[in-house]
């Protein structure tokens, strides 16, 4: 019998080996672009990379072994979010949000299918390194701006738009970071701090300790300068979770390291703060120095103290209690140890007090500053408005605090020192805080009547209203931004409701909430199961990261950003690999099904987003000069087919051109487009249907019905009401006398809808002068018809 010859390795198998070899080198780039590359183009590129790297026997086997409840729930959550984008009526928003979810899912798939368990520490080091680079860019954007300009130039060709105008420094308050949102930057950096604490505490070489301490210091200073109070409160709880989840013998050293980071960061913030908003390298140098101080404190004090107290449980408890007490004492002193301040004529010093209702005068020492004194009620805090009580020099100040005031603010400007300031009832106005950097003191003003926190309660309420209107499937990702104006008590602009649980309920209903809860619950279950096996340092670190992700999601938008979602999904992948140290009892067929499902979902939504990008590109570059009307409409039909998200522009153009063609086919096409646009009940779509379909047909019933449907979506938006009434004015100028009664009835009905909205809104909507003249003229007809009615309206619009 002939001996069977071994088969030569296939080209595909060789390619897989090369992919295995190159993948670890790609992780830094994949993570960096997943976190910072907030464009649909990069989301598609990441999805393509996920498809390429997840093909083959080895990735499928890895996925089968790692097919845990968390793996399944992450996939289910991402899938429901992506699917919800298809039923969202606000296509541009849905496409943007879908790109974020696809990018995070692609990164998760890459790590779960290709990462080896022995590379987990390497991935965490890369994670820390990427976030350190982001921290450097955030600090640089607020000062030197050299690296930030290079970053902007790097990302622009990839379709990612960053702007120095917004990614810098809020004067006297905090840095906003490269993401132009200090809360998101702080939430992301908080995860990096947890990972950095773990890496430093488990470092095995002096070189690794120094590099990790430097990274930790840079991230810590960027986190503190961002001064997101929600992120800081969540991080404080996270630190407690980290300590409780750690093994008993390691808690003191971890606690000491945390205190060393706080001390170094606060000290370096005093050096960095004066140079924020200026072209200076000092803030970056202070960040590096912060890392050096952390390493020095840990090497000299922390580790020595731990060795000294090793095995002495009572001494450890006493030392921990004393350090905790010192931290509390510092916080109390920082809030209460105040003094004078040097005022500037160019920048106002803002301070808050909480006096009872009544009339007050002022006593002060120092310069006779100019003051603007205003109060805020509960409603004004919600709407970010105020009531000015006094404006002028301190020497003439007398003001009356209203009964329902929650807080009184002083805006002080001058040229010189103001030593003290107090109200006539003895209430002292804090000026300078001796133990806090200026930006931190400024941020802490109005803490007990914080308008940002109170407005978040409004966001929560409005998000729940949206969910109740569509409880099972929600409005689709991106739908909150478009639909929230239909339920607001006053007009504000917000993409998110600042609570991830309510956000997912409003966007994907009960289905989305179930998937989100399953994802978090399965992560907790895996960590508890692993904790019962052993108290490995990585278990405590991952538990702390999960705690940060959950607590911060209660008051902030972080989960709805690609920036944060990609980072959390990467940590979920690490958690899965860390906890699945025993091959999963999953059949091969189940593993193949999981792989095929992952491939299909990734490929389908990458294709849909590609169609969105391709259609938009075709629209931008379409040359109509040589096209016949038929060819132009065919091109619009093709774009409409390609883009399943944001196809309103193509439909509006197609509708208008088809209607003008005068053919039976054109009429049918126009009617179809009008019907589809009208069904969205979205203001812009309904407005265009009214203006470019119903009005040319002189179908005033359809015209006013379409506008009314759109106004229900933009009910709280004054600009939408003015746009609608401007359209009514334009329509009147195109109509003959025979339509005047029907026109007047439609305007009158719109006015009644406005009155009904104003009866419920906290800030009633007022039309501009021309629109109000039209409404008044229609309301004043009172039985006047025909030419007389037409002339009355025309006269009002003249």
């Amino acid at each position: 019998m002939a001996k069977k010859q071994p088969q030569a390795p296939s080209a595909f198998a060789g390619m897989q080996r090369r992919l295995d070899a190159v993948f670890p080198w790609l992780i830094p780039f994949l993570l960096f672009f997943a976190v910072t590359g907030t464009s649909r183009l990069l989301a598609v590129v990441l999805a393509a990379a996920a498809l390429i790297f997840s093909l083959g026997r080895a990735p499928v086997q890895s996925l089968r072994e790692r097919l845990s409840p968390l793996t399944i729930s992450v996939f289910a959550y991402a899938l429901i979010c992506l699917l919800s984008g298809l039923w969202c009526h606000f296509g541009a928003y849905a496409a943007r949000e879908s790109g974020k979810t696809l990018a995070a899912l692609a990164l998760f798939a890459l790590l779960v299918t290709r990462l080896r368990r022995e590379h987990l520490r390497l991935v965490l080091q890369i994670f820390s390194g990427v976030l350190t680079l982001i921290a450097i860019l955030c600090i640089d954007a607020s000062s030197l701006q050299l690296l930030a300009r290079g970053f902007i130039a790097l990302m622009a060709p990839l379709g990612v738009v960053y702007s120095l105008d917004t990614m810098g420094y809020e004067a006297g308050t905090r840095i906003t970071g490269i993401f132009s949102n200090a809360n998101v930057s702080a939430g992301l950096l908080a995860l990096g701090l947890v990972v950095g604490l773990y890496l430093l505490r488990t470092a095995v070489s002096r070189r690794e300790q120094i590099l990790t301490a430097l990274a930790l210091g840079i991230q810590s200073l960027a986190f503190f300068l961002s001064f997101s109070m929600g992120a800081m409160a969540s991080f404080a709880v996270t630190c407690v979770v980290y300590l409780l989840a750690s093994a008993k013998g390691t808690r003191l050293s971890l606690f000491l390291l945390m205190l060393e980071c706080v001390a170094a960061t606060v000290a370096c913030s005093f050096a960095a703060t004066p140079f924020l908003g200026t072209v200076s390298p000092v803030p970056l140098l202070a960040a590096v120095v912060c890392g050096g101080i952390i390493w020095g404190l840990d090497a000299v004090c922390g580790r020595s103290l731990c060795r000294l107290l090793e095995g002495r449980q009572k001494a450890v408890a006493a030392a921990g209690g004393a350090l905790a007490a010192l931290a509390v004492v510092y916080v109390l002193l920082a809030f209460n140890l105040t003094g004078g301040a040097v005022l500037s004529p160019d920048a106002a010093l803002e301070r808050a007090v909480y006096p009872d209702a009544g009339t007050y005068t002022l006593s002060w020492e120092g310069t006779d500053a100019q003051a603007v004194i205003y109060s805020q009620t509960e409603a004004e805090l919600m709407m970010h408005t105020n009531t000015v009580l006094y404006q002028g020099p301190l020497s003439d100040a007398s003001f009356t605090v209203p009964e329902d005031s929650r807080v009184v603010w002083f805006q002080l400007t001058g040229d010189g020192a103001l030593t003290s300031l107090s109200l006539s009832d003895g209430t002292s106005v804090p000026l300078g805080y001796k133990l806090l950097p200026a930006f931190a003191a400024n941020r802490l003003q109005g803490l007990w009547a914080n308008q940002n926190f109170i407005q978040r309660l409004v966001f929560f309420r409005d998000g729940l209203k949206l969910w109740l209107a569509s409880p099972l499937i929600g409005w689709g990702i991106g739908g909150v931004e478009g639909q929230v104006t239909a339920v607001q008590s006053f007009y504000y602009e917000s993409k998110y409701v600042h609570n991830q649980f309510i956000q997912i309920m409003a966007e994907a209903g009960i289905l989305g909430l179930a998937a989100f809860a399953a994802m978090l619950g399965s992560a907790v279950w895996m960590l508890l199961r692993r904790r019962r096996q052993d108290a490995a340092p990585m278990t405590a670190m991952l538990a702390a990261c999960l705690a940060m992700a959950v607590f911060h999601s209660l008051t902030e938008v972080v989960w709805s950003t690609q920036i944060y979602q990609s980072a959390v999904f990467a940590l979920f992948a690490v958690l899965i690999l860390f906890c699945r140290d025993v091959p999963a009892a999953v059949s091969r067929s189940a593993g193949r099904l999981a792989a095929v499902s992952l491939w299909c979902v990734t490929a389908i939504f990458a294709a849909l987003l590609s169609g969105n990008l391709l259609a938009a590109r075709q629209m931008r570059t379409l040359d109509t000069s040589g096209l016949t009307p038929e060819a132009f409409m065919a091109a619009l039909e093709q774009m409409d087919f390609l883009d399943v998200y944001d196809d309103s522009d193509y439909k509006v153009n197609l509708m208008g051109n088809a209607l003008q063609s005068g053919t039976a086919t054109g009429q049918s096409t126009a009617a179809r487009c009008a019907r589809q646009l009208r069904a969205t009940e979205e203001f812009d779509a309904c407005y265009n249907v009214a203006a470019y379909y119903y009005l040319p047909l002189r179908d005033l019933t359809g015209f006013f019905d379409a506008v009314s449907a759109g106004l229900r979506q933009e009910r709280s938006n004054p600009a939408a009401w003015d746009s609608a009434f401007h359209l009514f004015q334009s329509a009147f100028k195109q109509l003959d006398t025979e339509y005047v009664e029907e026109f007047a009835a439609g305007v009158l009905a719109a006015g009644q809808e406005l009155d009904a909205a104003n009866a419920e809104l906290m800030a009633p909507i007022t039309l501009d002068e021309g629109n109000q003249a039209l409404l008044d003229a229609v309301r004043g007809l009172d039985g006047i018809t025909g030419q007389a009615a037409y002339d009355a309206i025309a006269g009002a619009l003249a």
Side-chain angles (χ1 to χ4, degrees):
M1 184 174 178
K3 186 176 180 180
K4 186 176 180 179
Q5 297 295 321
Q7 292 183 345
S10 66
F12 182 77
M15 183 186 72
Q16 290 296 313
R17 286 197 297 273
R18 287 191 290 274
L19 290 177
D20 279 338
V22 77
F23 182 73
W25 297 95
L26 293 179
I27 294 175
F29 301 98
L30 293 171
L31 184 58
F32 178 76
F33 285 113
V35 172
T36 62
T38 54
S39 74
R40 282 161 286 168
L41 175 61
L42 275 178
V44 171
V45 170
L46 283 168
L51 285 171
I52 293 170
F53 278 92
S54 64
L55 293 173
R57 183 177 299 173
V60 173
Q61 176 65 18
S62 296
L63 182 60
R64 184 175 77 86
E65 293 176 355
R66 298 161 186 174
L67 201 59
S68 66
L70 180 56
T71 313
I72 297 169
S73 58
V74 167
F75 179 72
Y77 171 73
L79 176 59
I80 289 174
C81 288
L82 290 169
L83 287 173
S84 74
L86 301 180
W87 63 69
C88 178
H89 289 169
F90 306 91
Y93 304 154
R96 181 192 64 209
E97 300 298 320
S98 295
K100 299 174 184 179
T101 302
L102 182 64
L105 177 62
L107 179 65
F108 177 78
L110 282 162
L111 294 177
V112 167
T113 57
R114 279 288 175 180
L115 193 62
R116 295 179 181 175
R117 199 166 184 273
E118 56 266 28
H119 289 155
L120 283 183
R121 186 172 182 85
L122 172 64
V123 171
L124 292 173
Q125 290 171 334
I126 291 171
F127 185 89
S128 180
V130 168
L131 266 60
T132 301
L133 176 57
I134 290 173
I136 290 172
L137 291 171
C138 288
I139 296 173
D140 175 79
S142 67
S143 52
L144 193 61
Q145 295 190 340
L146 180 63
L147 299 175
R149 292 179 188 276
F151 172 71
I152 292 172
L154 171 68
M155 302 306 288
L158 303 175
V160 187
V161 179
Y162 285 97
S163 173
L164 277 176
D165 294 336
T166 57
M167 53 187 274
Y169 176 58
E170 293 179 10
T173 306
R174 58 180 176 177
I175 65 175
T176 56
I178 59 172
F179 306 120
S180 304
N181 188 317
N183 298 319
V184 172
S185 300
L188 180 67
L189 292 171
L191 297 176
L193 291 177
V194 174
V195 173
L197 290 169
Y198 162 78
L199 291 174
L200 182 55
R201 186 48 64 232
T202 57
V204 294
S205 67
R206 187 183 183 87
R207 177 175 176 273
E208 186 181 359
Q209 290 172 1
I210 293 173
L211 291 177
T212 305
L214 288 174
L216 187 59
I218 293 168
Q219 291 180 53
S220 186
L221 185 61
F223 174 78
F224 187 61
L225 294 178
S226 299
F227 214 85
S228 167
M229 288 188 282
M232 286 184 162
S234 300
F235 188 65
V237 177
T238 295
C239 289
V240 173
V241 172
Y242 198 175
L243 290 168
L244 294 176
S246 299
K248 290 183 178 180
T250 64
R251 288 172 184 167
L252 178 62
S253 63
L254 179 59
F255 180 61
L256 287 172
L257 180 56
M258 291 175 180
L259 290 182
E260 290 158 6
C261 290
V262 171
T265 302
V266 172
C268 290
S269 70
F270 280 97
T273 300
F275 299 94
L276 295 176
T278 67
V279 182
S280 170
V282 172
L284 282 176
L285 293 174
V288 176
V289 170
C290 182
I293 294 174
I294 290 172
W295 177 77
L297 287 174
D298 191 50
V300 175
C301 302
R303 295 177 187 266
S304 299
L305 183 59
C306 288
R307 284 195 295 269
L308 179 65
L309 297 176
E310 186 175 358
R312 303 176 182 178
Q313 296 301 321
K314 291 184 178 180
V316 168
L323 291 170
L326 284 174
V328 171
V329 168
Y330 172 78
V331 171
L332 292 174
L333 288 175
F335 271 92
N336 293 285
L337 193 58
T338 60
V342 178
L343 302 181
S344 165
D346 301 321
L349 179 72
E350 292 199 55
R351 291 296 183 258
V353 290
Y354 309 91
D356 295 330
T359 300
Y360 296 88
T361 56
L362 298 175
S363 300
W364 81 99
E365 294 181 4
T367 185
D368 187 7
Q370 292 291 314
V372 177
I373 305 172
Y374 62 88
S375 67
Q376 288 183 296
T377 64
E378 186 87 20
E380 287 171 334
L381 287 166
M382 290 181 185
M383 296 186 288
H384 286 211
T385 59
N386 60 71
T387 299
V388 175
L389 306 179
Y390 171 78
Q391 186 169 357
L394 292 178
S395 55
D396 297 333
S398 176
F399 57 92
T400 300
V401 178
E403 288 287 345
D404 53 353
S405 172
R406 286 284 307 276
V407 62
V408 173
W409 287 86
F410 286 74
Q411 285 185 348
L412 303 169
T413 56
D415 190 5
L418 184 62
T419 307
S420 65
L421 177 63
S422 60
L423 277 63
S424 52
D425 69 343
T427 300
S428 177
V429 179
L431 298 172
Y433 289 77
K434 297 182 179 181
L435 296 180
L436 285 176
F439 76 92
N442 295 341
R443 281 286 292 163
L444 290 171
Q445 297 306 305
L447 186 62
W448 313 122
N450 186 277
Q451 60 186 5
N452 291 323
F453 174 75
I454 290 175
Q455 193 174 50
R456 274 166 172 72
L457 300 180
V458 176
F459 295 156
F460 299 167
R461 181 194 64 196
D462 291 343
L464 290 173
K465 289 179 183 177
L466 286 178
W467 170 66
L468 289 172
S470 181
L472 182 60
I473 62 173
W475 295 91
I477 51 172
V480 166
E481 182 176 359
Q483 196 64 26
V484 70
T485 47
V487 299
Q488 292 171 344
S489 298
F490 60 92
Y491 178 68
Y492 59 83
E493 294 182 3
S494 181
K495 297 178 182 178
Y496 313 107
V497 299
H498 292 258
N499 179 297
Q500 185 59 28
F501 293 91
I502 300 176
Q503 182 80 26
I504 192 63
M505 288 165 65
E507 289 182 335
I510 293 296
L511 294 176
L513 180 64
F516 187 63
M519 182 170 62
L520 299 180
S522 57
V524 172
W525 175 78
M526 292 182 72
L527 285 168
L528 289 175
R529 185 167 168 264
R530 178 66 196 227
R531 183 67 171 78
R532 284 193 291 268
Q533 295 174 4
D534 60 71
M538 191 178 290
T539 305
M541 180 271 292
L542 291 171
C545 287
L546 181 61
M548 182 67 203
V550 172
F551 286 112
H552 200 202
S553 70
L554 296 175
T555 58
E556 206 36 82
V557 302
V558 285
W559 272 89
S560 294
T561 65
Q562 177 180 324
I563 300 153
Y564 196 82
Q565 194 173 149
S566 296
V568 173
F569 276 21
L571 291 172
F572 279 163
V574 171
L575 192 160
I576 290 166
L577 267 70
F578 175 66
C579 292
R580 301 294 283 185
D581 51 355
V582 178
V586 177
S587 66
R588 290 186 178 182
S589 59
R592 293 192 188 101
L593 177 61
V596 171
S597 300
L598 180 62
W599 297 334
C600 289
V601 169
T602 305
I604 288 171
F605 283 96
L608 293 178
L609 282 173
S610 297
N612 170 261
L613 293 169
L614 181 59
R617 183 178 182 277
Q618 287 183 4
M619 189 67 176
R620 289 194 304 269
T621 59
L622 183 63
D623 183 5
T624 60
S625 58
L627 293 179
T628 64
E630 293 76 15
F632 178 57
M633 286 190 287
L636 290 171
E637 288 273 23
Q638 183 185 40
M639 295 175 207
D640 187 22
F641 172 77
L642 284 173
D643 195 343
V644 301
Y645 292 106
D646 189 18
D647 57 0
S648 291
D649 285 347
Y650 316 127
K651 278 187 167 65
V652 169
N653 275 285
L654 182 59
M655 177 185 67
N657 283 274
L659 187 63
Q660 292 175 15
S661 70
T663 65
T665 302
Q667 297 287 332
S668 176
T669 299
R672 170 177 57 83
C673 291
R675 188 168 55 252
Q676 292 171 344
L677 289 166
R678 171 69 177 76
T680 66
E681 299 186 343
E682 187 265 329
F683 177 78
D684 288 341
C686 292
Y687 179 99
N688 286 320
V689 170
Y692 303 116
Y693 181 74
Y694 288 118
L695 184 59
L697 293 176
R698 299 300 186 262
D699 180 354
L700 294 191
T701 300
F703 174 84
F704 283 107
D705 284 348
V707 174
S708 178
L711 285 172
R712 284 194 292 273
Q713 180 252 316
E714 288 279 15
R715 171 178 161 275
S716 66
N717 187 354
W721 286 94
D722 271 325
S723 294
F725 274 83
H726 279 302
L727 179 59
F728 298 161
Q729 290 189 52
S730 177
F732 177 77
K733 295 172 184 177
Q734 301 176 45
L735 297 174
D736 299 326
T737 307
E738 63 183 290
Y739 295 102
V740 69
E741 285 85 3
E742 191 175 0
F743 173 82
V747 174
L748 189 61
Q752 291 169 346
E753 291 175 5
L754 177 58
D755 291 341
N758 279 339
E760 299 177 1
L761 293 172
M762 294 172 62
I765 293 169
T766 303
L767 297 175
D768 68 27
E769 184 177 354
N771 288 331
Q772 189 62 49
L774 170 62
L775 183 56
D776 290 343
V778 169
R779 285 175 169 171
L781 290 178
D782 194 20
I784 301 173
T785 61
Q787 187 65 45
Y790 188 91
D791 292 343
I793 297 174
L797 298 179

